[in-house]
Each structure stands twice: as C-alpha cells, then as structure tokens.
C-alpha cells in the first residue's frame, strides 16, 4: 500500500477495469499516485484504496470525462 500522505500527483485513468488497466492502476497506487478511474458500474474497479476515486461514466459522457481529468496531472 502506498503512502498517500504525500502523493506524487493525480492521474486520470480509463480502462482500469481491464487486464492492462487494472495492473496499471495497482502500479500507480503503489507508486504513490492518486488515481481517478473511469468506471461504468459501481464496484467495477479491481480493488478499493483511499488513493483511488471512481468516476462513474464512460468515454461518451462529456460530463464524466470532465470530472475525470479536472485537476489531473
């Protein structure tokens, strides 16, 4: 588990529920990043962590994409 007291920054991630994306999500969190992950269903991410914020929506939703990238590094 990463030390979230001093995060590296914030990453906006799509595809976090897929094979590659779920591994990337874990590596980002382990590396100290905060992650906003786009998901189409509640509880759809592979694990829960204080550093991960799910954003409900999909790539066709301008509102969800705006929320996903707002303030991301």
């Amino acid at each position: 588990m990463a030390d979230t007291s001093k995060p590296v920054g914030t990453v906006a991630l799509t595809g976090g529920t897929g094979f590659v994306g779920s591994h990337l999500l874990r590596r980002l969190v382990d590396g100290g990043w905060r992650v906003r992950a786009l998901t189409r269903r509640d509880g759809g991410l592979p694990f829960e962590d204080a550093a991960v914020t799910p954003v409900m929506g999909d790539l066709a939703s301008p509102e969800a994409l705006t929320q996903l990238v707002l303030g991301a590094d």
Side-chain angles (χ1 to χ4, degrees):
M1 190 113 355
D3 176 11
T4 57
S5 62
K6 295 180 184 175
V8 175
T10 301
V11 171
L13 178 69
T14 63
T17 59
F19 179 76
V20 173
S22 64
H23 286 79
L24 179 58
L25 177 61
R26 173 62 71 184
R27 293 288 301 261
L28 288 166
V29 169
D30 288 348
W33 289 87
R34 289 180 302 215
V35 180
R36 268 195 230 116
L38 189 65
T39 182
R40 289 179 286 193
R41 62 184 189 279
D42 195 23
L45 296 173
F47 65 93
E48 292 184 21
D49 189 283
V52 179
T53 302
V55 175
M56 297 299 296
D58 60 37
L59 293 173
S61 170
E63 296 83 11
L65 292 176
T66 297
Q67 183 182 356
L68 179 70
V69 301
L70 188 66
D73 296 302

